[in-house]
Amino acid sequence: MLKNTVAENVLDRNIKILVVDDFSTMRRIIKNLLQELGYSNIQEADDGNTALPMLRAGKFDFVVTDWNMPEMTGIDLLKAIRADPALKAIPVLMVTAENSREQIIEAAQSGVNGYIVKPFTGATLKEKIDRIFERLAGRA
Amino acid sequence: MDSTNEPTLALPERIRALLQSRDSSEVEHAITQMVRERENALFIALGQLARDLHESVKNVAGALADGSDGLDAMPAARQRLHEALALSEQAAHHSLDIGDRLLAHSDQLAARAMSSAGNADADADLRSAVLAFAATCRDDISALRVAQGWQDLTGQRMKQVAAFLARVETSVLALVQLAGSLGATAPLAAALPRGESTTQQQVDDLLEQFGF
């Protein structure tokens, strides 16, 4: 069961992560930070339309996504993930410049696991990731 | 003076004369004539309005197309935004490349300092200083790399502005087309009287004065 698999992966630095952002700079920054945190199995996608087939084709354990992207936005990707029985347990962290109350509520109601507003620091990213996996471990 | 006559007296002489007339065909003809005069005034106003709108839109479209009057052409403005976006992306990646190299150097320096720990000839104070320096470098370079996120934030704004310009351009083009079609047909359609070919001719004559 994927939920258990994710929970078992708490603090497992070998988990497979997908970073989704239309800006290559931000993908690289997030990837760098994740690598500094010890995660090395990281792949990239430039929007939801690219990300979704990758998620369906490979066993990803964690998704970090932007909100505002062409074609398929991050919130639509999140909803698609939660609507897909094979993907719905994957934790999703949203890293975005969108900081309106309505959007944050929408993300929460759509099942996001964490929400980081840009610009952010490496410490914030680490804190949110740790909290996500701690919560998942608590539920397992 | 009888107060009930006041409204009648306030009417123009022409209408008061009509009210006194017992010739119904004369009355009908006079009323038709007055309506035509009112319509003509309206058509002139409409024609001027349509012409002004047409000219204004033509000026805007011309400015957008060739950048005259100091206005940048809309497509060129969007292109420049995309160029700025690409340049900022290159600059951010360049900074990230430098950060990667500096980080590798500081890590190598720290590794060498650590490996000298077993060497009795090595300066322990220098080793500590090098390790501290390498740690500071790592933290600062990492922060510097994260700070390159400005490109994402400003780039998103540029994309939003470019998209806005594209929408404005589309709207202006639609307005130009609309103004063109209005200039060709709308006043004529509005001027069509019921079974009054003479009025149509008058309208056509009037519109002709305004270049339609």
Side-chain angles (χ1 to χ4, degrees):
Chain A
M1 193 174 165
L2 191 53
K3 186 177 175 183
N4 287 337
T5 306
V6 171
E8 286 161 9
N9 281 333
V10 174
L11 302 180
D12 178 358
R13 300 303 195 229
N14 293 317
I15 60 171
K16 191 172 175 183
I17 302 173
L18 183 62
V19 176
V20 192
D21 199 305
D22 54 331
F23 278 80
S24 63
T25 321
M26 187 48 67
R27 291 201 302 272
R28 188 172 170 183
I29 289 168
I30 293 172
K31 194 175 175 181
N32 283 343
L33 286 171
L34 290 170
Q35 285 172 338
E36 285 181 24
L37 295 174
Y39 299 99
S40 56
N41 194 359
I42 306 163
Q43 291 191 24
E44 299 176 31
D46 60 6
D47 84 335
N49 272 351
T50 314
L52 212 48
M54 289 175 73
L55 288 168
R56 285 174 177 148
K59 290 186 174 178
F60 282 89
D61 302 299
F62 188 46
V63 174
V64 181
T65 183
D66 185 21
W67 181 309
N68 195 7
M69 295 181 290
E71 305 301 330
M72 184 190 273
T73 63
I75 192 68
D76 287 338
L77 174 64
L78 172 63
K79 289 172 182 174
I81 289 171
R82 293 295 175 252
D84 188 326
L87 306 176
K88 67 179 180 183
I90 298 177
V92 175
L93 172 63
M94 199 158 266
V95 181
T96 173
E98 309 299 329
N99 60 356
S100 75
R101 185 179 164 81
E102 291 78 12
Q103 285 175 307
I104 295 167
I105 290 170
E106 186 183 1
Q109 289 175 338
S110 302
V112 78
N113 297 82
Y115 198 100
I116 294 177
V117 178
K118 298 173 184 173
F120 61 99
T121 64
T124 304
L125 182 67
K126 182 181 185 310
E127 181 201 326
K128 298 300 178 193
I129 291 175
D130 287 350
R131 188 179 295 179
I132 287 170
F133 285 118
E134 279 166 15
R135 278 194 197 140
L136 289 170
R139 286 185 207 165
Chain B
M1 184 185 287
D2 187 352
S3 63
T4 56
N5 289 334
E6 283 180 5
T8 308
L9 289 171
L11 292 170
E13 176 63 29
R14 190 175 170 196
I15 294 178
R16 273 191 287 147
L18 270 180
L19 291 173
Q20 304 295 324
S21 173
R22 295 180 185 279
D23 186 343
S24 62
S25 65
E26 183 193 0
V27 171
E28 192 174 339
H29 179 75
I31 290 174
T32 302
Q33 187 60 36
M34 283 189 284
V35 168
R36 281 179 185 169
E37 287 170 11
R38 288 289 177 94
E39 283 178 345
N40 286 346
L42 180 64
F43 294 144
I44 290 170
L46 280 174
Q48 283 176 329
L49 188 65
R51 185 183 163 203
D52 289 348
L53 175 64
H54 190 70
E55 286 302 311
S56 300
V57 172
K58 259 172 55 182
N59 290 340
V60 171
L64 292 176
D66 63 20
S68 63
D69 299 328
L71 289 172
D72 288 326
M74 195 78 85
R78 283 192 289 116
Q79 179 61 30
R80 278 194 284 275
L81 273 175
H82 286 300
E83 285 169 4
L85 189 62
L87 287 170
S88 68
E89 187 176 22
Q90 284 173 22
H93 276 295
H94 186 54
S95 300
L96 287 168
D97 290 341
I98 293 170
D100 289 350
R101 289 199 296 272
L102 287 174
L103 211 54
H105 285 314
S106 69
D107 285 350
Q108 285 170 6
L109 193 64
R112 280 186 63 189
M114 287 292 285
S115 67
S116 70
N119 186 346
D121 296 331
D123 184 330
D125 287 344
L126 181 61
R127 184 174 58 248
S128 296
V130 167
L131 286 172
F133 175 73
T136 302
C137 280
R138 167 163 275 286
D139 290 345
D140 287 349
I141 293 166
S142 180
L144 208 60
R145 294 199 304 184
V146 176
Q148 298 310 306
W150 65 266
Q151 195 274 326
D152 169 272
L153 293 171
T154 56
Q156 284 192 38
R157 299 292 184 273
M158 287 185 202
K159 278 189 175 181
Q160 286 164 356
V161 172
F164 170 73
L165 288 177
R167 289 198 299 275
V168 169
E169 190 181 7
T170 303
S171 299
V172 169
L173 286 173
L175 191 60
V176 169
Q177 288 172 343
L178 179 65
S181 64
L182 276 177
T185 62
L188 295 183
L192 282 174
R194 291 176 185 170
E196 295 281 354
S197 60
T198 51
T199 304
Q200 173 64 69
Q201 188 57 52
Q202 286 173 335
V203 170
D204 288 346
D205 292 344
L206 283 169
L207 288 175
E208 197 175 359
Q209 296 173 26
F210 296 99
F212 292 100

